[in-house]
């Protein structure tokens, strides 16, 4: 089965976590082998996740940041 670019984007997290079936893994890898844009996207996602793992959020943000962020996000897009 050949997957589309959109399907690959949706599968990136599962692929990183080893949650794809054998058939889906093969389709994912086959798509990456022929699509430079998706290879770049998957690599960028991998680098982003690795960088985020290196960040110590306890030292970077105030204690109430998460609650404040979630409250703002639940209100929707701010008006400008």
């Amino acid at each position: 089965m050949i997957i589309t670019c959109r399907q690959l984007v949706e599968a990136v997290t599962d692929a990183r976590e080893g949650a794809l079936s054998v058939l889906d893994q093969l389709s994912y890898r086959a798509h990456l082998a022929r699509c430079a844009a998706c290879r770049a996207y998957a690599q960028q996602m991998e680098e982003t996740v690795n960088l985020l793992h290196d960040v110590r959020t306890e030292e970077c943000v105030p204690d109430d940041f998460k609650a404040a962020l979630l409250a703002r996000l639940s209100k929707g897009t701010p008006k400008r």
Side-chain angles (χ1 to χ4, degrees), residues 18-63:
L20 295 177
S21 69
V22 173
L23 178 60
D24 288 342
Q25 286 176 25
L26 292 172
S27 296
Y28 183 88
R29 290 181 189 156
H31 185 96
L32 287 178
R34 65 174 170 58
C35 184
C38 285
R39 277 194 308 276
Y41 175 79
Q43 180 62 35
Q44 187 176 43
M45 291 299 293
E46 183 72 24
E47 290 172 8
T48 300
V49 169
N50 288 339
L51 286 171
L52 289 172
H53 281 291
D54 292 341
V55 174
R56 297 186 131 192
T57 56
E58 299 87 17
E59 297 174 8
C60 296
V61 297
D63 292 337

